[in-house]
């Protein structure tokens, strides 16, 4: 009886064990299948995240390249404006130097005229008539205004304006 009990017990235990092993194996397989599906989904989400990051970075690269091009265009425009202004300043400096030289010459002429230094043989406007009496003609006082230069009035300074000078 003991053997039959053991035998029957082992035969009844074995199917239960066998069914437990199968159930356990099925449970393991189910868990493995779920884990694999979960891993596939996680990998898919990770690839999507990486693709989105790559797309975002590519968008940033494109935007920065566009901004870089705009900055280069602005630099080129600013450089061209700077060079134009430098050229204009060089012309203005040359004109200023020329005008300064002309003004200095005019001031020297004016100082010479106003100095009454007697270079022409007479020291006073009335001496002009005396100096030219040998020509036997009358000098019109209104024309020369008692001034040997005729075009200047008294000892007033000669003033040049910018409109008088041609360049």
């Amino acid at each position: 009886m003991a053997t039959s009990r053991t035998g029957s017990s082992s035969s009844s235990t074995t199917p239960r064990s066998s069914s437990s092993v199968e159930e356990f194996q099925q449970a393991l397989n189910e868990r493995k299948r779920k884990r694999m599906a979960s891993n596939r989904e996680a990998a898919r989400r990770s690839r999507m995240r990486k693709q989105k990051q790559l797309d975002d970075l590519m968008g940033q690269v494109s935007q920065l390249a566009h901004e870089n091009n705009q900055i280069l265009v602005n630099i080129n425009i600013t450089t061209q404006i700077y060079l134009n202004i430098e050229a204009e300043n060089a012309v203005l400096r040359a004109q200023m130097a020329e005008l300064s030289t002309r003004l200095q010459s005019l001031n020297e002429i004016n100082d010479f005229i106003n100095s009454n230094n007697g270079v022409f043989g007479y020291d006073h406007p009335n001496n002009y008539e005396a100096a030219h009496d040998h020509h036997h003609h009358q000098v019109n006082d209104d024309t020369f205004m008692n001034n040997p230069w005729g075009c200047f009035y008294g000892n007033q300074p000669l003033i040049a304006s910018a409109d008088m000078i041609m360049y």
Side-chain angles (χ1 to χ4, degrees), residues 30-70:
E30 183 65 24
R31 284 166 80 196
K32 184 178 179 181
R33 186 189 61 75
K34 284 182 180 179
R35 189 171 58 247
M36 286 175 64
S38 174
N39 286 348
R40 271 193 299 273
E41 181 61 25
R44 185 186 69 79
R45 285 193 308 264
S46 176
R47 284 190 303 272
M48 287 177 62
R49 268 193 315 273
K50 286 181 181 180
Q51 185 63 46
K52 184 181 180 324
Q53 286 176 335
L54 182 62
D55 292 344
D56 290 346
L57 289 174
M58 292 301 288
Q60 279 184 324
V61 165
S62 176
Q63 179 184 353
L64 291 173
H66 177 72
E67 288 175 13
N68 222 10
N69 286 338
Q70 283 184 328

Side-chain angles (χ1 to χ4, degrees), residues 9-20:
S9 133
S10 69
S11 67
S12 68
T13 310
T14 305
R16 277 198 276 190
S17 265
S18 168
S19 112
S20 288

Side-chain angles (χ1 to χ4, degrees), residues 104-114 152 158:
Q104 183 180 0
S105 296
L106 289 173
N107 283 335
E108 288 172 3
I109 291 169
N110 188 36
D111 290 345
F112 179 76
I113 291 170
N114 290 330
F152 303 111
L158 176 66

Side-chain angles (χ1 to χ4, degrees), residues 66-93:
H66 177 72
E67 288 175 13
N68 222 10
N69 286 338
Q70 283 184 328
I71 289 170
L72 287 174
V73 166
N74 287 341
I75 287 172
N76 288 337
I77 289 171
T78 303
T79 300
Q80 189 60 47
I81 290 170
Y82 170 78
L83 292 174
N84 290 344
I85 289 173
E86 274 296 312
E88 187 177 336
N89 279 346
V91 169
L92 290 174
R93 282 186 198 104

